[in-house]
Amino acid sequence: QSVLTQPPSVSGAPGQRVTISCTGSSSDIGAGYDVQWYQQLPGTAPKLLIYGNSNRPSGVPDRFSGSNSGTSASLAITGLQAEDEADYYCQSYDSSLSDWVFGGGTKLTVL
Amino acid sequence: QVQLVESGGGVVQPGGSLRLSCAASGFTFSSNGMHWVRQAPGKGLEWVAFIHYDGSNQYYRDSVKGRFTISRDNSKNTLYLQMNSLRTEDTAVYYCAKDKRCGGDCYFFDYWGQGTLVAVSS
């Protein structure tokens, strides 16, 4: 069971906007630890998508954005494209465990 | 460009041992902390261990404490994971990942290797 909670799946049609939620607790996101998002395409390693809650590394399209509030965070993807079909993971740090923690992952299906 | 290349995975019996390696290039290895993260087949990501840039401190998730040892050789730009007393639940793809901070409360992984598969089975 993952420390951070994500929906198992989301879907949307090309061009639409989807959001993926990530719920934590008072010892991770709620304690002020930043949230990151990773994209994992089928059969590949994870790739950093968002860091520090809302920052995009160089090369990541601005269709991807992150936000957080309280003990939760969200990843939004606008202008959905077929190539966005992947698993998405949120990640933070848990001060009570002294562990880097992940959500269980969300599979995005582009209809 | 940053490259992380893992090796050493394979099939091992329960109770056995395996040592993973991660060859790093494209950045100053000796100035960066490093992690091992694993992913069981069809499952999510799970952090395993972290080592400081100079090897002075190591941290582990509870389920591997006392069985796994993370280490590094900065002269060879290589990260290691010695895995002893392996269990079936340790079966996973093991990724090495570079540590990154973006402020006091921002801890993450900015680059990942391609992973190496460890299968613990009798």
PDB file of all heavy atoms in Angstrom, chain B residues 67-88:
ATOM      1  N   ARG B  67      19.612  -6.187   5.335  1.00  0.00           N
ATOM      2  CA  ARG B  67      19.805  -7.145   4.239  1.00  0.00           C
ATOM      3  C   ARG B  67      20.507  -6.500   3.040  1.00  0.00           C
ATOM      4  O   ARG B  67      21.296  -7.165   2.359  1.00  0.00           O
ATOM      5  CB  ARG B  67      18.465  -7.706   3.782  1.00  0.00           C
ATOM      6  CG  ARG B  67      17.683  -8.429   4.854  1.00  0.00           C
ATOM      7  CD  ARG B  67      16.453  -9.139   4.266  1.00  0.00           C
ATOM      8  NE  ARG B  67      15.516  -8.227   3.636  1.00  0.00           N
ATOM      9  CZ  ARG B  67      15.121  -8.325   2.361  1.00  0.00           C
ATOM     10  NH1 ARG B  67      15.581  -9.288   1.597  1.00  0.00           N
ATOM     11  NH2 ARG B  67      14.251  -7.467   1.885  1.00  0.00           N
ATOM     12  N   PHE B  68      20.204  -5.242   2.752  1.00  0.00           N
ATOM     13  CA  PHE B  68      20.774  -4.540   1.615  1.00  0.00           C
ATOM     14  C   PHE B  68      21.803  -3.525   2.101  1.00  0.00           C
ATOM     15  O   PHE B  68      21.643  -2.923   3.164  1.00  0.00           O
ATOM     16  CB  PHE B  68      19.688  -3.789   0.833  1.00  0.00           C
ATOM     17  CG  PHE B  68      18.734  -4.666   0.057  1.00  0.00           C
ATOM     18  CD1 PHE B  68      18.675  -6.041   0.249  1.00  0.00           C
ATOM     19  CD2 PHE B  68      17.874  -4.101  -0.871  1.00  0.00           C
ATOM     20  CE1 PHE B  68      17.802  -6.836  -0.462  1.00  0.00           C
ATOM     21  CE2 PHE B  68      16.985  -4.876  -1.600  1.00  0.00           C
ATOM     22  CZ  PHE B  68      16.944  -6.249  -1.384  1.00  0.00           C
ATOM     23  N   THR B  69      22.828  -3.298   1.284  1.00  0.00           N
ATOM     24  CA  THR B  69      23.843  -2.285   1.584  1.00  0.00           C
ATOM     25  C   THR B  69      24.118  -1.462   0.336  1.00  0.00           C
ATOM     26  O   THR B  69      24.500  -2.022  -0.705  1.00  0.00           O
ATOM     27  CB  THR B  69      25.154  -2.919   2.072  1.00  0.00           C
ATOM     28  OG1 THR B  69      24.913  -3.714   3.237  1.00  0.00           O
ATOM     29  CG2 THR B  69      26.175  -1.831   2.423  1.00  0.00           C
ATOM     30  N   ILE B  70      23.912  -0.156   0.440  1.00  0.00           N
ATOM     31  CA  ILE B  70      24.230   0.752  -0.661  1.00  0.00           C
ATOM     32  C   ILE B  70      25.634   1.302  -0.430  1.00  0.00           C
ATOM     33  O   ILE B  70      26.012   1.626   0.704  1.00  0.00           O
ATOM     34  CB  ILE B  70      23.185   1.892  -0.768  1.00  0.00           C
ATOM     35  CG1 ILE B  70      23.424   2.735  -2.014  1.00  0.00           C
ATOM     36  CG2 ILE B  70      23.159   2.742   0.495  1.00  0.00           C
ATOM     37  CD1 ILE B  70      22.298   3.761  -2.287  1.00  0.00           C
ATOM     38  N   SER B  71      26.406   1.383  -1.499  1.00  0.00           N
ATOM     39  CA  SER B  71      27.762   1.915  -1.386  1.00  0.00           C
ATOM     40  C   SER B  71      28.139   2.569  -2.712  1.00  0.00           C
ATOM     41  O   SER B  71      27.397   2.474  -3.684  1.00  0.00           O
ATOM     42  CB  SER B  71      28.766   0.813  -1.028  1.00  0.00           C
ATOM     43  OG  SER B  71      28.816  -0.168  -2.050  1.00  0.00           O
ATOM     44  N   ARG B  72      29.277   3.235  -2.726  1.00  0.00           N
ATOM     45  CA  ARG B  72      29.714   3.900  -3.949  1.00  0.00           C
ATOM     46  C   ARG B  72      31.230   3.951  -4.005  1.00  0.00           C
ATOM     47  O   ARG B  72      31.909   3.932  -2.970  1.00  0.00           O
ATOM     48  CB  ARG B  72      29.129   5.311  -4.020  1.00  0.00           C
ATOM     49  CG  ARG B  72      29.578   6.254  -2.914  1.00  0.00           C
ATOM     50  CD  ARG B  72      28.718   7.511  -2.892  1.00  0.00           C
ATOM     51  NE  ARG B  72      28.872   8.274  -4.143  1.00  0.00           N
ATOM     52  CZ  ARG B  72      27.965   9.154  -4.583  1.00  0.00           C
ATOM     53  NH1 ARG B  72      26.861   9.377  -3.886  1.00  0.00           N
ATOM     54  NH2 ARG B  72      28.188   9.813  -5.711  1.00  0.00           N
ATOM     55  N   ASP B  73      31.752   4.032  -5.233  1.00  0.00           N
ATOM     56  CA  ASP B  73      33.175   4.228  -5.462  1.00  0.00           C
ATOM     57  C   ASP B  73      33.302   5.460  -6.348  1.00  0.00           C
ATOM     58  O   ASP B  73      33.085   5.384  -7.564  1.00  0.00           O
ATOM     59  CB  ASP B  73      33.780   2.991  -6.132  1.00  0.00           C
ATOM     60  CG  ASP B  73      35.292   3.081  -6.275  1.00  0.00           C
ATOM     61  OD1 ASP B  73      35.824   4.215  -6.276  1.00  0.00           O
ATOM     62  OD2 ASP B  73      35.934   2.032  -6.392  1.00  0.00           O
ATOM     63  N   ASN B  74      33.601   6.586  -5.735  1.00  0.00           N
ATOM     64  CA  ASN B  74      33.652   7.830  -6.493  1.00  0.00           C
ATOM     65  C   ASN B  74      34.822   7.861  -7.483  1.00  0.00           C
ATOM     66  O   ASN B  74      34.781   8.607  -8.468  1.00  0.00           O
ATOM     67  CB  ASN B  74      33.720   9.027  -5.551  1.00  0.00           C
ATOM     68  CG  ASN B  74      32.369   9.310  -4.898  1.00  0.00           C
ATOM     69  OD1 ASN B  74      31.327   8.788  -5.327  1.00  0.00           O
ATOM     70  ND2 ASN B  74      32.367  10.119  -3.854  1.00  0.00           N
ATOM     71  N   SER B  75      35.830   7.047  -7.260  1.00  0.00           N
ATOM     72  CA  SER B  75      36.951   6.992  -8.199  1.00  0.00           C
ATOM     73  C   SER B  75      36.559   6.265  -9.487  1.00  0.00           C
ATOM     74  O   SER B  75      37.187   6.440 -10.522  1.00  0.00           O
ATOM     75  CB  SER B  75      38.159   6.301  -7.559  1.00  0.00           C
ATOM     76  OG  SER B  75      37.901   4.928  -7.359  1.00  0.00           O
ATOM     77  N   LYS B  76      35.509   5.455  -9.395  1.00  0.00           N
ATOM     78  CA  LYS B  76      35.033   4.699 -10.561  1.00  0.00           C
ATOM     79  C   LYS B  76      33.674   5.198 -11.051  1.00  0.00           C
ATOM     80  O   LYS B  76      33.088   4.610 -11.963  1.00  0.00           O
ATOM     81  CB  LYS B  76      34.918   3.208 -10.215  1.00  0.00           C
ATOM     82  CG  LYS B  76      36.249   2.544  -9.896  1.00  0.00           C
ATOM     83  CD  LYS B  76      36.059   1.067  -9.624  1.00  0.00           C
ATOM     84  CE  LYS B  76      37.397   0.387  -9.358  1.00  0.00           C
ATOM     85  NZ  LYS B  76      37.240  -1.061  -9.058  1.00  0.00           N
ATOM     86  N   ASN B  77      33.140   6.260 -10.430  1.00  0.00           N
ATOM     87  CA  ASN B  77      31.817   6.786 -10.806  1.00  0.00           C
ATOM     88  C   ASN B  77      30.762   5.682 -10.804  1.00  0.00           C
ATOM     89  O   ASN B  77      29.941   5.587 -11.730  1.00  0.00           O
ATOM     90  CB  ASN B  77      31.861   7.458 -12.178  1.00  0.00           C
ATOM     91  CG  ASN B  77      32.574   8.797 -12.152  1.00  0.00           C
ATOM     92  OD1 ASN B  77      32.932   9.297 -11.085  1.00  0.00           O
ATOM     93  ND2 ASN B  77      32.798   9.366 -13.318  1.00  0.00           N
ATOM     94  N   THR B  78      30.787   4.861  -9.773  1.00  0.00           N
ATOM     95  CA  THR B  78      29.895   3.704  -9.740  1.00  0.00           C
ATOM     96  C   THR B  78      29.195   3.590  -8.391  1.00  0.00           C
ATOM     97  O   THR B  78      29.789   3.757  -7.334  1.00  0.00           O
ATOM     98  CB  THR B  78      30.677   2.405 -10.026  1.00  0.00           C
ATOM     99  OG1 THR B  78      31.309   2.519 -11.309  1.00  0.00           O
ATOM    100  CG2 THR B  78      29.740   1.201 -10.047  1.00  0.00           C
ATOM    101  N   LEU B  79      27.894   3.289  -8.477  1.00  0.00           N
ATOM    102  CA  LEU B  79      27.030   3.049  -7.329  1.00  0.00           C
ATOM    103  C   LEU B  79      26.757   1.553  -7.244  1.00  0.00           C
ATOM    104  O   LEU B  79      26.659   0.878  -8.278  1.00  0.00           O
ATOM    105  CB  LEU B  79      25.717   3.803  -7.516  1.00  0.00           C
ATOM    106  CG  LEU B  79      24.605   3.619  -6.478  1.00  0.00           C
ATOM    107  CD1 LEU B  79      24.979   4.324  -5.178  1.00  0.00           C
ATOM    108  CD2 LEU B  79      23.283   4.146  -7.025  1.00  0.00           C
ATOM    109  N   TYR B  80      26.632   1.051  -6.021  1.00  0.00           N
ATOM    110  CA  TYR B  80      26.383  -0.385  -5.831  1.00  0.00           C
ATOM    111  C   TYR B  80      25.186  -0.617  -4.901  1.00  0.00           C
ATOM    112  O   TYR B  80      24.832   0.221  -4.082  1.00  0.00           O
ATOM    113  CB  TYR B  80      27.610  -1.068  -5.205  1.00  0.00           C
ATOM    114  CG  TYR B  80      28.873  -0.916  -5.991  1.00  0.00           C
ATOM    115  CD1 TYR B  80      29.841   0.025  -5.635  1.00  0.00           C
ATOM    116  CD2 TYR B  80      29.115  -1.716  -7.116  1.00  0.00           C
ATOM    117  CE1 TYR B  80      31.013   0.170  -6.367  1.00  0.00           C
ATOM    118  CE2 TYR B  80      30.276  -1.577  -7.847  1.00  0.00           C
ATOM    119  CZ  TYR B  80      31.224  -0.630  -7.465  1.00  0.00           C
ATOM    120  OH  TYR B  80      32.379  -0.490  -8.193  1.00  0.00           O
ATOM    121  N   LEU B  81      24.603  -1.813  -5.045  1.00  0.00           N
ATOM    122  CA  LEU B  81      23.612  -2.288  -4.084  1.00  0.00           C
ATOM    123  C   LEU B  81      23.894  -3.768  -3.836  1.00  0.00           C
ATOM    124  O   LEU B  81      23.692  -4.597  -4.726  1.00  0.00           O
ATOM    125  CB  LEU B  81      22.181  -2.094  -4.582  1.00  0.00           C
ATOM    126  CG  LEU B  81      21.100  -2.462  -3.561  1.00  0.00           C
ATOM    127  CD1 LEU B  81      21.125  -1.488  -2.369  1.00  0.00           C
ATOM    128  CD2 LEU B  81      19.705  -2.472  -4.194  1.00  0.00           C
ATOM    129  N   GLN B  82      24.394  -4.077  -2.640  1.00  0.00           N
ATOM    130  CA  GLN B  82      24.610  -5.454  -2.249  1.00  0.00           C
ATOM    131  C   GLN B  82      23.340  -5.964  -1.588  1.00  0.00           C
ATOM    132  O   GLN B  82      22.877  -5.382  -0.596  1.00  0.00           O
ATOM    133  CB  GLN B  82      25.788  -5.564  -1.262  1.00  0.00           C
ATOM    134  CG  GLN B  82      26.042  -6.959  -0.731  1.00  0.00           C
ATOM    135  CD  GLN B  82      26.516  -7.924  -1.812  1.00  0.00           C
ATOM    136  OE1 GLN B  82      27.362  -7.580  -2.626  1.00  0.00           O
ATOM    137  NE2 GLN B  82      25.949  -9.126  -1.821  1.00  0.00           N
ATOM    138  N   MET B  83      22.769  -7.017  -2.161  1.00  0.00           N
ATOM    139  CA  MET B  83      21.498  -7.547  -1.667  1.00  0.00           C
ATOM    140  C   MET B  83      21.719  -8.960  -1.140  1.00  0.00           C
ATOM    141  O   MET B  83      22.115  -9.856  -1.903  1.00  0.00           O
ATOM    142  CB  MET B  83      20.466  -7.559  -2.796  1.00  0.00           C
ATOM    143  CG  MET B  83      20.238  -6.188  -3.415  1.00  0.00           C
ATOM    144  SD  MET B  83      18.928  -6.180  -4.644  1.00  0.00           S
ATOM    145  CE  MET B  83      19.643  -7.210  -5.886  1.00  0.00           C
ATOM    146  N   ASN B  84      21.517  -9.150   0.153  1.00  0.00           N
ATOM    147  CA  ASN B  84      21.660 -10.452   0.798  1.00  0.00           C
ATOM    148  C   ASN B  84      20.313 -10.939   1.312  1.00  0.00           C
ATOM    149  O   ASN B  84      19.361 -10.158   1.412  1.00  0.00           O
ATOM    150  CB  ASN B  84      22.660 -10.367   1.964  1.00  0.00           C
ATOM    151  CG  ASN B  84      24.044  -9.952   1.523  1.00  0.00           C
ATOM    152  OD1 ASN B  84      24.459 -10.239   0.399  1.00  0.00           O
ATOM    153  ND2 ASN B  84      24.763  -9.275   2.399  1.00  0.00           N
ATOM    154  N   SER B  85      20.247 -12.203   1.654  1.00  0.00           N
ATOM    155  CA  SER B  85      19.022 -12.802   2.205  1.00  0.00           C
ATOM    156  C   SER B  85      17.803 -12.415   1.374  1.00  0.00           C
ATOM    157  O   SER B  85      16.769 -11.988   1.900  1.00  0.00           O
ATOM    158  CB  SER B  85      18.816 -12.354   3.662  1.00  0.00           C
ATOM    159  OG  SER B  85      19.926 -12.709   4.453  1.00  0.00           O
ATOM    160  N   LEU B  86      17.926 -12.576   0.069  1.00  0.00           N
ATOM    161  CA  LEU B  86      16.857 -12.141  -0.839  1.00  0.00           C
ATOM    162  C   LEU B  86      15.581 -12.939  -0.633  1.00  0.00           C
ATOM    163  O   LEU B  86      15.613 -14.152  -0.357  1.00  0.00           O
ATOM    164  CB  LEU B  86      17.333 -12.227  -2.277  1.00  0.00           C
ATOM    165  CG  LEU B  86      18.231 -11.054  -2.704  1.00  0.00           C
ATOM    166  CD1 LEU B  86      19.033 -11.392  -3.941  1.00  0.00           C
ATOM    167  CD2 LEU B  86      17.389  -9.808  -2.919  1.00  0.00           C
ATOM    168  N   ARG B  87      14.462 -12.237  -0.785  1.00  0.00           N
ATOM    169  CA  ARG B  87      13.127 -12.829  -0.636  1.00  0.00           C
ATOM    170  C   ARG B  87      12.384 -12.716  -1.955  1.00  0.00           C
ATOM    171  O   ARG B  87      12.715 -11.864  -2.791  1.00  0.00           O
ATOM    172  CB  ARG B  87      12.361 -12.086   0.460  1.00  0.00           C
ATOM    173  CG  ARG B  87      13.079 -12.013   1.793  1.00  0.00           C
ATOM    174  CD  ARG B  87      12.398 -11.012   2.717  1.00  0.00           C
ATOM    175  NE  ARG B  87      13.060 -10.912   4.023  1.00  0.00           N
ATOM    176  CZ  ARG B  87      12.827  -9.965   4.917  1.00  0.00           C
ATOM    177  NH1 ARG B  87      11.903  -9.024   4.650  1.00  0.00           N
ATOM    178  NH2 ARG B  87      13.468  -9.950   6.062  1.00  0.00           N
ATOM    179  N   THR B  88      11.342 -13.515  -2.113  1.00  0.00           N
ATOM    180  CA  THR B  88      10.564 -13.445  -3.348  1.00  0.00           C
ATOM    181  C   THR B  88       9.982 -12.052  -3.548  1.00  0.00           C
ATOM    182  O   THR B  88       9.860 -11.585  -4.686  1.00  0.00           O
ATOM    183  CB  THR B  88       9.440 -14.488  -3.339  1.00  0.00           C
ATOM    184  OG1 THR B  88       8.636 -14.311  -2.165  1.00  0.00           O
ATOM    185  CG2 THR B  88      10.011 -15.905  -3.340  1.00  0.00           C
TER     186      THR B  88
END
